[in-house]
Amino acid sequence: MVARRRLGRRFGWLWAAYAVSTFGTRLAFDAFALIAILVLHAGPAEVSVLAAAGLAVGAVVAVPLGPWVEFRRKRPVMVAMDLTRFVALMSVPAAYALGLLGFVQLLVVSVVVGAADIAFNAAGGAYLKAIVRPEDLVVASGRFESTNWTATVLGPPLGTAAIGFFGPVLTVVTDAVSHLLSAAGIRAIGGHEPQPVRAGTKEVRLRFGGLFEGWRYILAHPALRPLFLNTVLVSGLIMATSPLLAVLMLGDLGFAPWQYGLAFGLPCVGGIIGSRLAPRLVARFGRHRVMLTAGTLRACWSLGPAFVRPGVAGLVLVIVVEFGLITCMGVFNPVFAAYRLDRTATDRVARTLSAWSVTSKATVAVMTGLWGLLAGITGPRVAIAVAGLLMLLTPFLLPRHDHTPHHERDLARSPT
């Protein structure tokens, strides 16, 4: 069966490391916001700044990391980023125990962790391409995606319970330790990883123009350019309306917190289903067709929350809409991730993934702020509706033609 392909020992350790750190991060979901509110008595403006600045400044700090990662062995980079996240996160409970914790420290830690996330993912993507055959990339990406959604289903409820019993600082400790265990797992992969070759002319480009090489490569590529614009805009629209939907449901419509949690926790099962289906769909219909179809269907759900009403019917509407959206994302994301890796030259993977991630995080931060202003003028329901209408236009940004050579299409559809 496609989903049961054996991808080797190195992939197994990489997947295990990813699973541990992802579960740790999901357990600590919103821990910084809760620490700011419960421990530092921060107001709404400070909490918003903490969320937005962590994304935006972390993305800016990560810009030079892409070229730096490109010409280094990827496993040591991943270990270094895991250890960086461990040290940064552990500084929070240490400062709390000493009575020295402040808002500025939370802000600095969120920036450091955000930048380290981008560098880790860039190195991890490049390493994944090196250890997995092109025809297995969808299967490998599907396993990462399934793990992500499983952690999303289980992590926040368990983390919320832990916060209730032990406080938010303990979940930060759990998150930090998960990165330490991830570093140990990546070290356990072993084997020899060759040093990437860097010619003298490339070194000059790295020093002066290499910072922007990832963006130049993406925007010049006929398949990656539309996919880049599509995914950045979609993630921005989804994340920008998330706090507005919380305000609408918990404030204007009077839903209880447990109902709100159910509305967004239960549909995450769709992500697990979608990621499990993705390799089978690709084997049957081909990678490009599945990506185009799932990407188009993904855009059809975001208008629904604008019509939510109080009561059971409104709760069911949100659950159905979120389930449909997340299932489509579960199919689309691993296929897109495999397609992006396959279409990116080996010596540009880290810079391309870094540029992609930096742009996505910065766009989410900017659009979250813009939609907050729009909601302040029009109300959250209208702002959600505007985002939903814009989402309907995003399928036009998907690559309409399959740029994969015929022999590679046959490999991608190979069932064994």
Side-chain angles (χ1 to χ4, degrees), residues 38-213:
L38 300 177
V39 178
L40 303 179
H41 308 292
E46 290 175 300
V47 174
S48 298
V49 167
L50 181 62
L55 283 174
V57 181
V60 172
V61 171
V63 169
L65 293 179
W68 178 78
V69 170
E70 193 75 78
F71 299 106
R72 280 162 177 80
R73 293 186 179 95
K74 304 305 181 288
R75 280 200 305 120
V77 170
M78 287 188 284
V79 170
M81 293 303 105
D82 266 334
L83 295 179
T84 298
R85 291 185 287 190
F86 169 74
V87 172
L89 288 168
M90 282 301 295
S91 73
V92 173
Y96 174 76
L98 296 172
L100 301 175
L101 183 63
F103 181 79
V104 173
Q105 181 179 350
L106 285 182
L107 190 60
V108 171
V109 171
S110 67
V111 169
V112 171
V113 170
D117 285 344
I118 293 174
F120 181 93
N121 292 333
Y127 187 68
L128 179 66
K129 181 171 182 175
I131 65 173
V132 173
R133 297 178 302 173
E135 62 268 29
D136 288 333
L137 281 174
V138 172
V139 175
S141 299
R143 291 177 185 175
F144 284 123
E145 186 73 8
S146 178
T147 301
N148 178 59
W149 287 113
T150 302
T152 303
V153 171
L154 300 177
L158 294 175
T160 301
I163 287 170
F165 283 109
F166 306 109
V169 174
L170 183 64
T171 61
V172 176
V173 175
T174 304
D175 189 13
V177 171
S178 74
H179 293 300
L180 188 63
L181 294 174
S182 171
I186 293 168
R187 285 277 299 170
I189 293 174
H192 174 69
E193 182 183 354
Q195 176 72 36
V197 178
R198 181 171 62 189
T201 55
K202 286 187 176 180
E203 186 170 355
V204 173
R205 276 209 337 250
L206 173 64
R207 201 173 289 161
F208 297 105
L211 295 179
F212 305 101
E213 180 63 28

Side-chain angles (χ1 to χ4, degrees), residues 203-293:
E203 186 170 355
V204 173
R205 276 209 337 250
L206 173 64
R207 201 173 289 161
F208 297 105
L211 295 179
F212 305 101
E213 180 63 28
W215 283 285
R216 281 198 292 263
Y217 184 79
I218 292 168
L219 296 177
H221 198 290
L224 294 182
R225 182 176 59 251
L227 198 57
F228 173 71
L229 297 174
N230 172 273
T231 55
V232 167
L233 182 57
V234 167
S235 63
L237 289 171
I238 290 174
M239 297 305 297
T241 56
S242 179
L244 306 184
L245 192 52
V247 170
L248 179 63
M249 293 183 66
L250 297 173
D252 298 352
L253 302 180
F255 285 100
W258 71 266
Q259 292 174 312
Y260 177 78
L262 180 66
F264 291 93
L266 185 60
C268 291
V269 175
I272 301 173
I273 295 171
S275 59
R276 297 288 293 175
L277 285 175
R280 294 177 173 86
L281 292 173
V282 168
R284 181 168 183 178
F285 300 107
R287 186 169 57 186
H288 183 263
R289 184 181 297 177
V290 171
M291 185 173 67
L292 189 61
T293 303

Side-chain angles (χ1 to χ4, degrees), residues 307-366:
F307 302 98
V308 65
R309 293 286 183 249
V312 175
L315 183 62
V316 170
L317 172 64
V318 175
I319 291 174
V320 170
V321 166
E322 291 298 317
F323 182 84
L325 172 63
I326 292 173
T327 301
C328 293
M329 291 170 62
V331 175
F332 177 86
N333 288 347
V335 181
F336 145 70
Y339 184 87
R340 179 176 60 180
L341 282 177
D342 197 36
R343 296 295 91 204
T344 304
T346 301
D347 63 345
R348 287 181 170 85
V349 173
R351 283 172 288 179
T352 299
L353 295 184
S354 292
W356 210 298
S357 186
V358 164
T359 305
S360 182
K361 289 180 182 293
T363 301
V364 167
V366 170

